[in-house]
Amino acid sequence: MDYFAGVTDALRVTFVQMMLISALAMGIFVVGMYMNLKKWGMGSTGYGDTPSKSILAFPKMLMYQMNEHAHVHNQSVLETFVLDILFQRRILRRSPLRWFMHFTIFVGWMTLFALSFAMFFVEMVHMIGEKVGYAHSLPEFMYPEIFRELLAVPNDIFSYILLVGIIIAIYRRLFVAKVREATIAYDSILLIGLTIITISGFVADGIRTGRFWGFGIDAEIAPPMALFHVVISLLFCIAYIPFSKYIHVIAIPLALLANKGGE
Amino acid sequence: MAKREPSINTENFTAVQLMELDSCSRCGECVDWCPTYDASGKDPGLAPRDKILRWREYMNKSYGLRAKLFGPKEIPEEEIEQFKDDVYGCTTCGMCATVCESAINTVELWESMRANLVKRGNGPFGKQGAFLKLIGEYKNPYMADNKDRTNWFPEDVKIEDKAEVLYFGGCTAELRQRKLALATARVLNKLGIKFTMLGEDEICCGSALIRTGQYYVNDVAKVNAQKNIDNIVAKGAKTVLYACAGCYRASIIDWPRLTGKELPFKVVHITEFLQDLIEKGEIKWEKSIDKKVTYHDPCHMGRHVGVFEPPRAVLEAIPGIEFIEMDRIKDNQRCCGAGGGVKAGIPDLALGVASTRVEDALATNADLLSSACPFCKRNLSDGRDAIGAKELEVEDVIVLTAEAMGIDLSDTPE
Ligand code: HEM
Ligand code: SF4
Ligand code: SF4
């Protein structure tokens, strides 16, 4: 059983191996988030109260704040979710260029994540179908080869959207003096990691299809390149979240909710 | 070998605040806008982003993955002392919260850091340490006899024994800037509004203790808030008026938080009260004030509570005043530099910030820089003197109101 983004029999990445890596990434993520929750839970559930040291302290305090009356902004959870979390208007208010940079990263990343997940799902359903015997009754688009072709164009589009954001971010970190001087490893690791993943994705696809991003590299290298892309994506984009600046993907929406979109 | 203890603890932080440390995306907006960072000559330690980074690192050194596996990493005491100095170099103006792309409630975070460091034995800063003793002993931070709060009012001022309206004067106006307190009392008298005051039963609102992280020591702030609340209720008040942004913020936000109960009365800033009367046409102006006036939003009333319009409405209603705005106003206002204990703890820094704010006012060519807080007035006046801008008057909105109503304040005692 071959698996994922063009990995062929040549490398024999088995479903089991892939599942193991995915499970490992998820496992590390869950353990990391549990540790974060415990760390946050060392705080109290009310201003000036003593630390509760319970794993529930964070959800409790979050609920308390979300239900508390705010004097300045008292906006609804829905407004916070749509305008502040999805649309990220707090970044837009400060700097349209930075908003554009981040929004392209955000939309690109989220969509590619969703598309990869959909691909994974289709392969699963199909594979189980083959074992159980319903595979032949699946609609045509649910065949992995066909589904992959369906995703090819959106995959391309959102990869480029992501790339645009990354290029702006790299430019800022390298060439805007104030940003460069304030950059620490915490910032650069996130950006470097994301860049490597994105570029490796382009290259893996390019080698497979023999187009621009292949740089004329022999198609035989396609499977290991694809494997590399998949493995670091899983480890960096999922497992590493709780331990890096990636945590902002979870923590910023939580802060926005807790503070009703902020002052 | 016994496992080493972490160098810091999480006392006085809420669970959400510890999470907020992880939600700083290091965008740098707060650094661009922080008034004390700016006035310090861009001392890197004062940058809000940097304070969040340092405490996050302290947390990880003490409780992160590596600390769990190999024991906590020690944080040198000098580093924590330095951090303490930096976290007190902040007026709690809230500008960083307004611009924060991650919506971090920074002011509360700084106050929690301060409280934590007070408990740890590092804080507070310089002269702020005396607040607790003074307020405990004198019920005000000025070492004044608490009887002197209201016993100086000239004979003509009528203060009821009990009334539905109570004017909470506050330590600074009653004991140091009496013109402001007298203006408020006479304006209310002239409008025929029966009001009462707490007099010698009034206790410091707690702002000085809360902002400097000393509120929980012996529960002083909480006990005092409750006493004030009980005394206000005993006076029969349903509406409590404030002409001080610091007391106003402490009452409307901190008292309910400290006591865990909603207040049994309405908290109203005097300018809100006046705006309402102006709209009803109940104020008769007798004098014209022919000046170009600009207005400085006190942080604790503007950004913290959202009262922006009422003082402007009052100024615009006063005959003769040509009202003109500075560049940075309302949400975006630049702090006067006095708050958060900075005036008492680091006067030079307070003066630096004030000077910049006075420059803002001078840029509008205004004759008079007004505000709605005795603390802002004091510090802005000092800032004006520091840069020698003698031609600029600094005055409170309520004093201007009194003058325009034909009230004489020349008999204000020192
Ligand atoms: C609801 C979700 C998210 C919110 C609210 C959010 C917010 C932010 C903010 C405020 C910044 C600072 C931008 C600046 O420098 O002005 C930032 C940086 C960044 N975010 Fe997000 N983010 C979210 C999700 C994501 C996701 C899903 C990714 C995907 C990888 C991502 C990747 C990045 C990167 C790479 C940076 C650093 C850019 C740089 O180097 O300056 N974010 N984010
Ligand atoms: S509250 Fe004001 S003074 Fe304090 S760190 Fe924030 S911007 Fe600076
Ligand atoms: S504005 Fe907020 S997110 Fe940005 S650096 Fe400052 S604290 Fe961090």
Side-chain angles (χ1 to χ4, degrees), chain B residues 67-87:
Chain B
K68 285 265 173 314
L69 297 177
F70 309 110
K73 194 157 181 242
E74 195 179 337
I75 306 160
E77 207 46 40
E78 312 85 76
E79 207 179 311
I80 296 184
E81 268 296 307
Q82 181 60 48
F83 182 83
K84 182 261 302 180
D85 290 353
D86 291 339
V87 91

Side-chain angles (χ1 to χ4, degrees), chain A:
Chain A
M1 175 68 216
D2 53 306
Y3 203 66
F4 263 44
V7 179
T8 63
D9 282 352
L11 202 78
R12 302 207 195 292
V13 184
T14 62
F15 182 72
V16 175
Q17 285 168 335
M18 226 43 245
M19 281 303 278
L20 275 178
I21 297 173
S22 306
L24 181 70
M26 280 306 292
I28 297 174
F29 172 81
V30 169
V31 170
M33 279 317 295
Y34 174 77
M35 285 176 51
N36 275 333
L37 264 182
K38 266 188 83 157
K39 188 176 76 182
W40 301 341
M42 301 200 56
S44 67
T45 53
Y47 290 103
D49 290 354
T50 40
S52 71
K53 305 218 158 93
S54 142
I55 186 89
L56 291 177
F58 175 72
K60 265 194 197 151
M61 186 65 194
L62 180 67
M63 289 318 288
Y64 167 76
Q65 266 183 253
M66 286 175 68
N67 291 321
E68 194 190 32
H69 173 82
H71 284 278
V72 184
H73 293 282
N74 221 13
Q75 70 187 27
S76 67
V77 174
L78 188 68
E79 186 177 344
T80 306
F81 186 73
V82 175
L83 290 177
D84 292 310
I85 296 177
L86 294 183
F87 184 65
Q88 300 164 4
R89 69 173 161 187
R90 289 188 75 91
I91 309 183
L92 181 60
R93 273 194 208 132
R94 306 313 326 164
S95 157
L97 174 71
R98 256 190 287 131
W99 175 81
F100 181 75
M101 166 194 100
H102 193 267
F103 203 64
T104 48
I105 295 178
F106 174 73
V107 168
W109 193 92
M110 285 291 188
T111 313
L112 291 174
F113 190 88
L115 292 178
S116 306
F117 193 81
M119 189 68 229
F120 177 86
F121 178 77
V122 166
E123 298 228 23
M124 276 268 274
V125 169
H126 188 260
M127 196 203 64
I128 296 170
E130 275 189 333
K131 292 248 152 71
V132 182
Y134 63 71
H136 58 278
S137 58
L138 284 170
E140 208 177 337
F141 78 88
M142 287 288 274
Y143 286 93
E145 309 78 53
I146 296 176
F147 196 71
R148 179 168 302 127
E149 284 315 308
L150 280 178
L151 294 195
V153 174
N155 253 324
D156 250 19
I157 294 174
F158 287 98
S159 303
Y160 277 106
I161 291 180
L162 175 60
L163 189 65
V164 168
I166 289 178
I167 289 172
I168 302 176
I170 293 177
Y171 177 87
R172 263 171 37 88
R173 296 263 164 216
L174 288 183
F175 300 112
V176 179
K178 202 163 79 178
V179 181
R180 184 180 58 230
E181 279 153 20
T183 299
I184 56 175
Y186 186 71
D187 306 311
S188 37
I189 289 173
L190 176 62
L191 197 53
I192 293 171
L194 201 58
T195 309
I196 294 175
I197 290 171
T198 311
I199 302 291
S200 70
F202 273 110
V203 172
D205 196 59
I207 297 175
R208 186 171 60 92
T209 56
R211 280 184 298 183
F212 169 72
W213 283 94
F215 301 114
I217 296 171
D218 192 337
E220 261 183 35
I221 309 296
M225 194 61 209
L227 180 65
F228 174 75
H229 173 68
V230 170
V231 171
I232 63 164
S233 295
L234 283 169
L235 291 182
F236 190 78
C237 287
I238 296 177
Y240 199 43
I241 289 177
F243 309 99
S244 65
K245 189 178 172 182
Y246 247 122
I247 191 67
H248 86 272
V249 174
I250 292 168
I252 296 181
L254 290 173
L256 284 160
L257 287 171
N259 297 319
K260 299 178 193 272
E263 303 245 326

Side-chain angles (χ1 to χ4, degrees), chain B residues 11-243:
Chain B
E11 291 282 335
N12 288 85
F13 285 91
T14 71
V16 164
Q17 289 179 320
L18 295 178
M19 181 278 293
E20 285 175 337
L21 297 170
D22 284 319
S23 66
C24 170
S25 67
R26 303 187 40 76
C27 69
E29 278 296 327
C30 51
V31 186
D32 289 345
W33 293 89
C34 173
T36 53
Y37 170 72
D38 187 47
S40 68
K42 304 205 191 301
D43 171 357
L46 293 193
R49 170 175 62 188
D50 194 55
K51 290 183 251 186
I52 291 187
L53 170 68
R54 279 184 280 168
W55 200 272
R56 179 174 61 228
E57 286 178 346
Y58 294 167
M59 281 299 292
N60 288 337
K61 279 180 181 164
S62 306
Y63 307 105
L65 178 61
R66 208 167 306 160
K68 285 265 173 314
L69 297 177
F70 309 110
K73 194 157 181 242
E74 195 179 337
I75 306 160
E77 207 46 40
E78 312 85 76
E79 207 179 311
I80 296 184
E81 268 296 307
Q82 181 60 48
F83 182 83
K84 182 261 302 180
D85 290 353
D86 291 339
V87 91
Y88 276 94
C90 156
T91 61
T92 65
C93 74
M95 193 60 208
C96 46
T98 296
V99 298
C100 179
E101 291 183 353
S102 308
I104 298 173
N105 192 347
T106 49
V107 172
E108 259 76 359
L109 191 56
W110 312 141
E111 288 175 7
S112 293
M113 289 175 179
R114 290 175 176 193
N116 178 284
L117 290 169
V118 169
K119 208 172 250 182
R120 198 179 172 281
N122 302 86
F125 192 95
K127 281 192 192 162
Q128 297 166 356
F131 286 166
L132 199 64
K133 188 164 173 291
L134 294 176
I135 291 169
E137 209 166 304
Y138 297 92
K139 301 186 181 170
N140 65 69
Y142 295 115
M143 266 166 86
D145 186 340
N146 219 39
K147 287 200 181 68
D148 293 345
R149 279 183 183 272
T150 49
N151 63 6
W152 54 269
F153 275 115
E155 296 269 295
D156 64 293
V157 176
K158 267 208 308 295
I159 301 172
E160 309 293 325
D161 197 33
K162 278 187 155 198
E164 296 220 333
V165 175
L166 183 141
Y167 166 39
F168 190 96
C171 310
T172 307
E174 290 171 345
L175 299 164
R176 286 292 176 275
Q177 295 202 28
R178 292 181 161 161
K179 193 167 159 195
L180 192 152
L182 184 59
T184 312
R186 282 198 175 137
V187 165
L188 291 172
N189 276 169
K190 187 146 184 174
L191 289 167
I193 289 152
K194 289 198 183 324
F195 75 98
T196 177
M197 290 182 77
L198 291 180
E200 68 174 303
D201 290 335
E202 185 178 319
I203 310 172
C204 171
C205 68
S207 180
L209 293 176
I210 300 164
R211 307 280 87 82
T212 57
Q214 307 179 74
Y215 57 88
Y216 64 84
V217 185
N218 304 330
D219 263 345
V220 176
K222 177 178 167 176
V223 171
N224 290 353
Q226 192 59 53
K227 280 188 193 158
N228 277 328
I229 294 170
D230 293 343
N231 288 339
I232 290 170
V233 170
K235 287 275 188 186
K238 303 247 163 37
T239 300
V240 183
L241 299 179
Y242 295 80

